[in-house]
Amino acid sequence: MQKVEVQHICAGYNLGDVLQDINFTAREGEFIGLIGPNGSGKSTLLHVMSKILNPTCGTVYLGDVEIESMKLKEVARVLAVIPQDSPMTFSFTVADIVIMGRNPHLTLFHSEGKEDIEIARKAMEATDTFHLRNRVITNLSGGERQRVIIARALAQSPKVLLLDEPTANLDIRHQIEIFDLVKRLTEEGLIVICAIHDLNLASLYSDRLIVLKEGRVLAFGNPEEVLTVENMREIFGVEAILQNHPVENSPFVILMRS
Ligand code: ADP
Ligand code: MG
């Protein structure tokens, strides 16, 4: 898919719009980090982009197609979502959950075949969950469960992957592994839009950063442009020193005590 385009999106809940006129384009192979304070609208934007929430104005295009004109199953064939928290109350096994990622690609009379099982196996291997395949999801740790959710999303073979703070529950090694994996997939053309809390991880992995504050885009650009002392103050209300990462040369945020 060549691009995902968000045009003049407003959206909200019963108390009114949370998002105000959001515009940006994500290109093929791009990793876009979505940052901003709690409540700034990151999850709401990802909900609109995945057709979970209808906008009150504006349009989202997946490639050249308006998301509004697509069925949910059509959306799911090209776009996968890793939500902020995915409650798991049913006692499915890990393998059952991951193979569910193939559902959008199956037709009414065809259940999953050899190729689907192979894709699910690869998704489990990539997320270090293959050894858990026969375990029941409700018995896993938060981090293990999150990796299974990520495996299911990968099994969807998406062209666009939306992630909402995907590694909040993970230890540092698994955080790096998941981001490395997602980053590798962008080299094959995957478009990634990922809400990230940790500014230094956002800086390390993102080609461009979108900053949301109070439902508006406050800044959009590469990490060097966005992660500045002034923006840290204005967006998050914190004092920081900005340095260059000694190896990656990306901005590195050093936070000061207040
Ligand atoms: P973020 O993900 O950046 O923390 P959210 O998109 O979750 O922000 O929330 C943006 C605003 O929308 C917040 O003020 C939040 O209280 C409100 N909000 C989020 N979800 C709902 C909901 N289901 N019903 C009503 N208000 C909501
Ligand atoms: Mg959120």
Side-chain angles (χ1 to χ4, degrees), residues 13 18 37-44:
Y13 307 92
V18 170
N38 290 335
S40 58
K42 302 180 296 293
S43 297
T44 304

